[in-house]
C-alpha cells in the first residue's frame, strides 16, 4: 500500500491522530486534529492543546515515555475557536530500529457530547434526587396532614353528634317543662282530692257505724222499729259497705302511691328541663362518688363488686346534689346491666383543663342502635314497670348544665363505659356569669314554662 493511500485512510478517520517527539513537539496531525486545533506542526503539544507553558499534569505521553506501555487518559483541550472539548486519548509508543522510543502517538476521540450528556444526566439525577427528597417530605407532610384531618373529622363528627343531641335535649327540655307544668296542676288536684276523699270516707264510715249502734240501742225492743233496724242492716249488706270499708284503706293507699309516682315523674321532668336553677359551688368529684356509692350500697352489694382508681383531681364548680344524682343513676343502671356477679370500675383523672369520670361495667352491654337513644326521655330497655326512662335523660341535662360532656361506649356481651368530662371553672367566674344571666332574663319576656 503506497503512502498516499495510507494518508488518505488516516485522514478519513473520525478520530484524531497526533504524534509528538520526545520533546513534546508536534510532528504529525491528521485532518481531524487540524480541523479542531489548526495546523500546529513543530509546536509544543501542551501549548497547542491545553494552552500551558509546560508539560501537562498527568500527561499520557510522559507515562508512555517513562514505561513504554500504552495508557488512556482523559483531557480537556482548547479548540481553535476558543471553546473547550473533552477527549479520550489512547497514548502509544513509537520505536526506532534499535527499539528505542523516539515518539508518542495519541489516538484522540472527541467525547465532548458524551461528557455533556453524562454531565446533564448527573445534573438531572441530582435534581431528581432533590425532587425525590422533596416529594418524600411532601408525602410525609401529606400523610401527617391526612392523619390530622382524620382526627379532626372524627372530632367534628363527635362534636356534631353532641351538638345535635344538645339541641335535641334543649327542645325536649322545653317540651318537658311544659308537660311537667301541665301535669303538675291536675296531679296536685288529684292528691288533694284523694286526701279529702279519704278523710270524708272515714267520716262517712264512722257515721254509718254510729247510726247502726244508735238504732240498735234505741229501737231493738220495739218491734216496728226493730224491723226498721233490720232493713237498715240489709241495705248496708246489700250495698256491700262492709267490704268497701275493709278494702278502702288499701285502695286509697294504692291510689295515693300512683299519684305520688306521677308527681315524682313530674319532679324529674322539672330537674331535666331546668337543672340550672340550683346554686353551684366548688365540688370534690371523688367525695361525690364516695357519697353516691354509700347511697346505692344496698342496690349494688348483691351482684356487684366496685373497684376504684380515684386520682387526685382539682375541684370543679357544680351542684353536689345533682352530681350525686348523676352518679347514682349511672351506678344503678350498671348494676341492672349485670346479671350475676360483676364488676363496676370507677376512674377519675385530670386532662385538658377538665376532670374526667369513667364508670365501666362488664354487664350485658347496649346495642349500637340503642346507644343513640340512650339519653332520650322515656327511652328504656327495662321491662314495663321497672323504669321510667328519665334517669339518663336527667343525667345528660345535668352534665350539659355543668358545661360538661358525657360519652357512652358499649359492646353487647362485654359491658358499657360512661365517660363524663367536667370543666374546671373558677367560682368567681361562675357567679359573675350567673349574675349577668339573671340580668339578661329580667330584660327578656318570660317563658310560658317559667314559674312552676
Amino acid at each position: 500500500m503506497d503512502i498516499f493511500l495510507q494518508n488518505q485512510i488516516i485522514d478519513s478517520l473520525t478520530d484524531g491522530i497526533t504524534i509528538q517527539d520526545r520533546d513534546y513537539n508536534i510532528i504529525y496531525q491528521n485532518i481531524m486534529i487540524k480541523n479542531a486545533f489548526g495546523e500546529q506542526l513543530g509546536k509544543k503539544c501542551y501549548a497547542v492543546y491545553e494552552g500551558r507553558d509546560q508539560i501537562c499534569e498527568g500527561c499520557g505521553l510522559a507515562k508512555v515515555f517513562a514505561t513504554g506501555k500504552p495508557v488512556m487518559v482523559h483531557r480537556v483541550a482548547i479548540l481553535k475557536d476558543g471553546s473547550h472539548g473533552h477527549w479520550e486519548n489512547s497514548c502509544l509508543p513509537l520505536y526506532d530500529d534499535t527499539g528505542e522510543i523516539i515518539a508518542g502517538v495519541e489516538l484522540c476521540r472527541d467525547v465532548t457530547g458524551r461528557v455533556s450528556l453524562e454531565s446533564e444526566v448527573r445534573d438531572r439525577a441530582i435534581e431528581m434526587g432533590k425532587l425525590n427528597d422533596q416529594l418524600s417530605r411532601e408525602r410525609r407532610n401529606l400523610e401527617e396532614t391526612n392523619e390530622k384531618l382524620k382526627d379532626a373529622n372524627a372530632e367534628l363528627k363527635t362534636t356534631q353528634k353532641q351538638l345535635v343531641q344538645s339541641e335535641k335535649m334543649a327542645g325536649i327540655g322545653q317540651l318537658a317543662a311544659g308537660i311537667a307544668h301541665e301535669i303538675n296542676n291536675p296531679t296536685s288536684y288529684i292528691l288533694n282530692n284523694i286526701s279529702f276523699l279519704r278523710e270524708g270516707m272515714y267520716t262517712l264510715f264512722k257515721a254509718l257505724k254510729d247510726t247502726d249502734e244508735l238504732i240498735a240501742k234505741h229501737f231493738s225492743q220495739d218491734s216496728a222499729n226493730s224491723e226498721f233496724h233490720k232493713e237498715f242492716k240489709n241495705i248496708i249488706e246489700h250495698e256491700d259497705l262492709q267490704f268497701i270499708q275493709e278494702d278502702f284503706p288499701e285502695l286509697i293507699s294504692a291510689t295515693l302511691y300512683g299519684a305520688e309516682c306521677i308527681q315524682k315523674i313530674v319532679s324529674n321532668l322539672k330537674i331535666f328541663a331546668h337543672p340550672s336553677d340550683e346554686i353551684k359551688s366548688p365540688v370534690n368529684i371523688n367525695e361525690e362518688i364516695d357519697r353516691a356509692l354509700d347511697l346505692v350500697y344496698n342496690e349494688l352489694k348483691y351482684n356487684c363488686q366496685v373497684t376504684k382508681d380515684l386520682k387526685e383531681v382539682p375541684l370543679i364548680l357544680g351542684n353536689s346534689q345533682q352530681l350525686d344524682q348523676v352518679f347514682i343513676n349511672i351506678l344503678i343502671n350498671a348494676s341492672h346491666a349485670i346479671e350475676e356477679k360483676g364488676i363496676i370500675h370507677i376512674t377519675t383523672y385530670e386532662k385538658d383543663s377538665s376532670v374526667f369520670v369513667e364508670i365501666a361495667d362488664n354487664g350485658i352491654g347496649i346495642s349500637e342502635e340503642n346507644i343513640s337513644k340512650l339519653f332520650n326521655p322515656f327511652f328504656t330497655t327495662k321491662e314495663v314497670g321497672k323504669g321510667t326512662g328519665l334517669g339518663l335523660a336527667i343525667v345528660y341535662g345535668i352534665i350539659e348544665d355543668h358545661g360538661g360532656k358525657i360519652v357512652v361506649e358499649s359492646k353487647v356481651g362485654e359491658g358499657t363505659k360512661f365517660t363524663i368530662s367536667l370543666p374546671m371553672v373558677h367560682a368567681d367566674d361562675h357567679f359573675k356569669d350567673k349574675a349577668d344571666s339573671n340580668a339578661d332574663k329580667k330584660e327578656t319576656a318570660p317563658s310560658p314554662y317559667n314559674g312552676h
Side-chain angles (χ1 to χ4, degrees), residues 161-177:
K161 287 180 181 178
Q162 290 171 341
L163 286 174
V164 170
Q165 186 72 4
S166 177
E167 185 177 351
K168 184 165 62 174
M169 289 297 104
I172 294 174
Q174 190 175 19
L175 176 64

Side-chain angles (χ1 to χ4, degrees), residues 438-445:
N438 290 335
D440 292 339
K441 287 179 181 178
K442 291 179 181 179
E443 296 175 0
T444 57

Side-chain angles (χ1 to χ4, degrees), residues 167-196:
E167 185 177 351
K168 184 165 62 174
M169 289 297 104
I172 294 174
Q174 190 175 19
L175 176 64
I179 294 172
H181 178 71
E182 295 301 324
I183 295 176
N184 192 50
N185 287 337
T187 302
S188 298
Y189 299 153
I190 292 171
L191 282 170
N192 291 335
N193 291 342
I194 290 174
S195 297
F196 178 78

Side-chain angles (χ1 to χ4, degrees), residues 385-437:
K386 290 192 176 182
T388 62
L390 277 174
L392 291 178
I394 293 172
V395 165
Y396 187 95
I398 292 173
I399 295 302
E400 186 184 52
D401 177 62
H402 282 71
K405 296 178 182 178
I406 180 167
V407 178
V408 185
E409 301 171 66
S410 185
K411 287 186 178 180
V412 175
E414 295 184 15
T416 304
K417 180 172 75 172
F418 287 83
T419 301
I420 299 168
S421 62
L422 296 165
M424 294 175 287
V425 183
H426 195 276
D428 293 342
D429 295 336
H430 168 75
F431 294 128
K432 179 180 181 301
D433 293 341
K434 193 77 171 177
D436 293 342
S437 175

Side-chain angles (χ1 to χ4, degrees), residues 69-307:
K69 295 179 180 180
V71 296
M72 179 177 283
V73 294
H74 182 97
R75 307 302 300 180
V76 178
I78 304 172
L79 304 180
K80 65 180 181 181
D81 61 2
S83 62
H84 289 73
H86 292 265
W87 299 80
E88 277 185 355
N89 296 345
S90 297
C91 303
L92 308 168
L94 283 179
Y95 298 92
D96 62 9
D97 296 339
T98 63
E100 184 180 350
I101 297 175
I102 58 173
V105 180
E106 288 185 276
L107 302 178
C108 307
R109 175 164 292 179
D110 186 355
V111 293
T112 303
R114 191 188 74 191
V115 170
S116 297
L117 182 60
E118 289 175 351
S119 177
E120 185 178 354
V121 169
R122 283 197 301 272
D123 292 342
R124 290 292 179 88
I126 293 171
E127 185 178 352
M128 289 297 292
K130 291 179 180 178
L131 287 173
N132 189 50
D133 291 341
Q134 184 178 356
L135 286 173
S136 296
R137 289 194 298 271
E138 292 295 333
R139 185 187 64 206
R140 288 194 295 270
N141 291 337
L142 284 173
E143 288 174 352
E144 291 174 2
T145 302
N146 189 44
E147 288 301 319
K148 290 178 181 178
L149 285 173
K150 285 182 180 178
D151 294 340
N153 186 49
E155 185 176 352
L156 181 61
K157 287 183 178 179
T158 301
T159 303
Q160 186 180 27
K161 287 180 181 178
Q162 290 171 341
L163 286 174
V164 170
Q165 186 72 4
S166 177
E167 185 177 351
K168 184 165 62 174
M169 289 297 104
I172 294 174
Q174 190 175 19
L175 176 64
I179 294 172
H181 178 71
E182 295 301 324
I183 295 176
N184 192 50
N185 287 337
T187 302
S188 298
Y189 299 153
I190 292 171
L191 282 170
N192 291 335
N193 291 342
I194 290 174
S195 297
F196 178 78
L197 178 63
R198 178 174 57 183
E199 297 302 322
M201 290 298 290
Y202 283 147
T203 301
L204 178 61
F205 289 144
K206 186 175 183 306
L208 287 173
K209 182 180 178 183
D210 292 343
T211 301
D212 182 49
E213 290 176 353
L214 181 64
I215 293 173
K217 179 179 178 181
H218 294 285
F219 299 104
S220 60
Q221 301 301 323
D222 188 296
S223 60
N225 290 331
S226 177
E227 189 65 27
F228 170 77
H229 186 217
K230 287 180 181 179
E231 291 181 7
F232 180 75
K233 284 278 193 181
N234 288 336
I235 291 172
I236 292 175
E237 291 176 2
H238 182 267
E239 298 299 335
D240 211 2
L241 293 181
Q242 184 67 30
F243 174 77
I244 294 174
Q245 186 174 358
E246 290 174 356
D247 282 4
F248 178 75
E250 185 176 346
L251 292 171
I252 288 293
S253 296
T255 305
L256 281 172
Y257 175 77
E260 286 168 356
C261 286
I262 295 173
Q263 197 171 51
K264 184 177 179 182
I265 292 173
V266 170
S267 176
N268 286 338
L269 275 173
K270 284 184 176 181
I271 293 173
F272 168 70
H274 297 292
S276 59
D277 293 339
E278 301 293 339
I279 296 175
K280 296 180 176 66
S281 58
V283 172
N284 185 315
I285 283 294
N286 291 341
E287 291 179 359
E288 299 306 322
I289 290 172
D290 286 335
R291 184 181 295 111
L293 285 170
D294 289 339
L295 292 172
V296 296
Y297 171 74
N298 286 331
E299 185 83 20
L300 307 181
K301 66 181 181 180
Y302 297 107
N303 66 327
C304 302
Q305 177 188 353
V306 178
T307 60

